[in-house]
Amino acid sequence: MSIEETKVTAEVGSSRELNKYLGEGWKLILSYVRHSSDSQQPRFIVAWQKDGEPVYPEILDEWELNEINRQMNR
């Protein structure tokens, strides 16, 4: 499918999340590295190009993961 057939996009920040999206039928359309301070974070843009409503995988978002880590490190 061409990029013009994209109905919705999402940005994910790990290969684990990426694989879940790809497993639901999303297509990878862009990847890049976000630089901040002394770190580098992979970012992936996925596109929903199928007919019907997009199917989102059940995953914790970046904020939720940070909150879990913060609570564990108290």
Side-chain angles (χ1 to χ4, degrees), residues 41-65:
Q41 301 170 332
R43 306 305 289 176
F44 306 98
I45 307 298
V46 292
W48 182 258
Q49 297 181 329
K50 296 182 177 184
D51 291 330
E53 292 295 314
V55 178
Y56 292 93
E58 291 188 33
I59 53 176
L60 298 175
D61 66 23
E62 191 172 346
W63 181 87
E64 292 168 317
L65 291 172

Side-chain angles (χ1 to χ4, degrees), residues 1-66:
M1 291 192 167
S2 69
I3 193 79
E4 289 83 15
E5 296 183 41
T6 298
K7 291 151 180 72
V8 177
T9 60
E11 182 176 8
V12 297
S14 73
S15 57
R16 181 184 68 80
E17 289 177 271
L18 174 61
N19 287 331
K20 288 189 175 245
Y21 272 87
L22 296 176
E24 295 291 352
W26 293 71
K27 303 290 181 190
L28 177 64
I29 59 171
L30 176 68
S31 63
Y32 66 96
V33 175
R34 180 171 65 188
H35 299 273
S36 60
S37 300
D38 293 337
S39 67
Q40 298 179 3
Q41 301 170 332
R43 306 305 289 176
F44 306 98
I45 307 298
V46 292
W48 182 258
Q49 297 181 329
K50 296 182 177 184
D51 291 330
E53 292 295 314
V55 178
Y56 292 93
E58 291 188 33
I59 53 176
L60 298 175
D61 66 23
E62 191 172 346
W63 181 87
E64 292 168 317
L65 291 172
N66 287 335

